Short mmCIF file of all heavy atoms in Angstrom, two decimals:
data_model
loop_
_atom_site.label_atom_id
_atom_site.label_comp_id
_atom_site.label_asym_id
_atom_site.label_seq_id
_atom_site.Cartn_x
_atom_site.Cartn_y
_atom_site.Cartn_z
N ARG U 47 -26.06 -74.49 -14.53
CA ARG U 47 -27.16 -75.33 -14.06
C ARG U 47 -28.53 -74.75 -14.37
O ARG U 47 -29.54 -75.43 -14.23
CB ARG U 47 -27.01 -75.60 -12.57
CG ARG U 47 -26.02 -76.70 -12.26
CD ARG U 47 -25.65 -76.69 -10.80
NE ARG U 47 -24.81 -77.83 -10.44
CZ ARG U 47 -23.54 -77.94 -10.74
NH1 ARG U 47 -22.94 -77.00 -11.45
NH2 ARG U 47 -22.84 -78.99 -10.38
N LEU U 55 -32.99 -78.72 -8.47
CA LEU U 55 -32.77 -79.73 -7.42
C LEU U 55 -32.58 -79.04 -6.07
O LEU U 55 -32.76 -79.65 -5.03
CB LEU U 55 -31.57 -80.59 -7.73
CG LEU U 55 -31.61 -81.46 -8.97
CD1 LEU U 55 -30.45 -82.44 -8.95
CD2 LEU U 55 -32.92 -82.22 -9.06
N ILE U 78 -37.18 -83.21 -17.77
CA ILE U 78 -36.53 -84.46 -18.20
C ILE U 78 -36.07 -84.36 -19.65
O ILE U 78 -34.95 -84.75 -20.00
CB ILE U 78 -37.51 -85.63 -17.99
CG1 ILE U 78 -37.65 -85.86 -16.49
CG2 ILE U 78 -37.02 -86.88 -18.66
CD1 ILE U 78 -38.95 -86.42 -16.07
N ARG U 81 -33.05 -82.01 -19.88
CA ARG U 81 -31.79 -82.59 -19.40
C ARG U 81 -31.28 -83.66 -20.34
O ARG U 81 -30.08 -83.95 -20.38
CB ARG U 81 -31.98 -83.16 -18.00
CG ARG U 81 -32.13 -82.04 -16.97
CD ARG U 81 -32.60 -82.55 -15.64
NE ARG U 81 -33.10 -81.45 -14.81
CZ ARG U 81 -34.02 -81.59 -13.88
NH1 ARG U 81 -34.55 -82.78 -13.65
NH2 ARG U 81 -34.41 -80.57 -13.16
N ASN U 92 -18.04 -88.07 -11.42
CA ASN U 92 -19.03 -88.71 -10.54
C ASN U 92 -19.75 -89.90 -11.18
O ASN U 92 -20.97 -89.97 -11.15
CB ASN U 92 -20.05 -87.67 -10.04
CG ASN U 92 -20.79 -87.00 -11.20
OD1 ASN U 92 -20.50 -87.26 -12.35
ND2 ASN U 92 -21.73 -86.16 -10.89
N PRO U 93 -18.97 -90.84 -11.76
CA PRO U 93 -19.66 -92.05 -12.21
C PRO U 93 -20.22 -92.75 -10.96
O PRO U 93 -19.67 -92.59 -9.87
CB PRO U 93 -18.55 -92.89 -12.84
CG PRO U 93 -17.28 -92.38 -12.24
CD PRO U 93 -17.51 -90.94 -11.93
N HIS U 96 -20.94 -97.72 -7.55
CA HIS U 96 -21.40 -99.09 -7.31
C HIS U 96 -21.85 -99.78 -8.60
O HIS U 96 -22.23 -100.93 -8.58
CB HIS U 96 -22.55 -99.07 -6.31
CG HIS U 96 -23.75 -98.33 -6.80
ND1 HIS U 96 -23.72 -96.97 -7.10
CD2 HIS U 96 -25.00 -98.72 -7.09
CE1 HIS U 96 -24.89 -96.57 -7.53
NE2 HIS U 96 -25.71 -97.62 -7.53
N ASN U 110 -34.17 -93.45 -20.52
CA ASN U 110 -34.94 -92.72 -21.51
C ASN U 110 -35.52 -93.64 -22.58
O ASN U 110 -36.08 -93.16 -23.56
CB ASN U 110 -34.07 -91.65 -22.14
CG ASN U 110 -33.67 -90.58 -21.13
OD1 ASN U 110 -34.50 -89.82 -20.68
ND2 ASN U 110 -32.41 -90.58 -20.72
N THR P 189 -23.68 -84.79 -5.62
CA THR P 189 -23.24 -84.90 -7.00
C THR P 189 -23.85 -86.12 -7.71
O THR P 189 -24.10 -86.10 -8.89
CB THR P 189 -21.69 -84.91 -7.09
OG1 THR P 189 -21.31 -84.88 -8.46
CG2 THR P 189 -21.10 -86.11 -6.42
N GLU P 192 -27.29 -85.12 -8.70
CA GLU P 192 -27.22 -84.30 -9.91
C GLU P 192 -26.95 -85.17 -11.13
O GLU P 192 -27.55 -84.96 -12.20
CB GLU P 192 -26.09 -83.26 -9.78
CG GLU P 192 -26.41 -82.13 -8.83
CD GLU P 192 -25.49 -80.95 -9.02
OE1 GLU P 192 -24.25 -81.16 -9.01
OE2 GLU P 192 -25.97 -79.83 -9.17
N PHE P 195 -30.17 -86.98 -12.23
CA PHE P 195 -31.15 -86.10 -12.88
C PHE P 195 -30.62 -85.56 -14.20
O PHE P 195 -31.38 -85.37 -15.14
CB PHE P 195 -31.52 -84.95 -11.95
CG PHE P 195 -32.56 -85.33 -10.93
CD1 PHE P 195 -32.20 -85.56 -9.61
CD2 PHE P 195 -33.87 -85.49 -11.30
CE1 PHE P 195 -33.14 -85.93 -8.67
CE2 PHE P 195 -34.83 -85.85 -10.39
CZ PHE P 195 -34.46 -86.08 -9.06
N SER P 196 -29.29 -85.32 -14.28
CA SER P 196 -28.76 -84.75 -15.52
C SER P 196 -28.89 -85.73 -16.67
O SER P 196 -28.79 -85.35 -17.83
CB SER P 196 -27.30 -84.35 -15.33
OG SER P 196 -26.47 -85.47 -15.36
N LEU P 197 -29.09 -87.02 -16.36
CA LEU P 197 -29.28 -88.00 -17.44
C LEU P 197 -30.73 -88.11 -17.86
O LEU P 197 -31.08 -88.95 -18.69
CB LEU P 197 -28.78 -89.37 -16.97
CG LEU P 197 -27.28 -89.51 -16.82
CD1 LEU P 197 -26.93 -90.81 -16.14
CD2 LEU P 197 -26.60 -89.41 -18.18
N GLY P 198 -31.57 -87.30 -17.29
CA GLY P 198 -32.99 -87.34 -17.68
C GLY P 198 -33.80 -88.31 -16.85
O GLY P 198 -34.82 -88.80 -17.30
N THR P 200 -36.42 -89.43 -13.96
CA THR P 200 -37.52 -88.85 -13.22
C THR P 200 -37.19 -88.96 -11.73
O THR P 200 -36.19 -89.59 -11.36
CB THR P 200 -38.83 -89.64 -13.46
OG1 THR P 200 -38.60 -90.99 -13.04
CG2 THR P 200 -39.20 -89.65 -14.94
N SER P 210 -29.99 -97.75 -4.87
CA SER P 210 -29.10 -98.84 -5.22
C SER P 210 -27.67 -98.51 -4.74
O SER P 210 -26.90 -99.39 -4.42
CB SER P 210 -29.11 -99.11 -6.73
OG SER P 210 -28.38 -98.14 -7.44
N TYR P 211 -27.38 -97.22 -4.63
CA TYR P 211 -26.06 -96.82 -4.13
C TYR P 211 -25.94 -97.15 -2.64
O TYR P 211 -24.86 -97.51 -2.18
CB TYR P 211 -25.87 -95.31 -4.38
CG TYR P 211 -24.62 -94.72 -3.78
CD1 TYR P 211 -23.37 -95.08 -4.26
CD2 TYR P 211 -24.70 -93.80 -2.75
CE1 TYR P 211 -22.23 -94.52 -3.72
CE2 TYR P 211 -23.58 -93.26 -2.19
CZ TYR P 211 -22.33 -93.61 -2.68
OH TYR P 211 -21.21 -93.06 -2.12
#
Side-chain angles (χ1 to χ4, degrees):
Chain U
R47 279 166 173 75
L55 297 191
I78 290 151
R81 289 168 196 153
N92 59 357
H96 62 297
N110 295 290
Chain P
T189 185
E192 287 196 309
F195 279 104
S196 77
L197 289 170
T200 60
S210 76
Y211 174 68

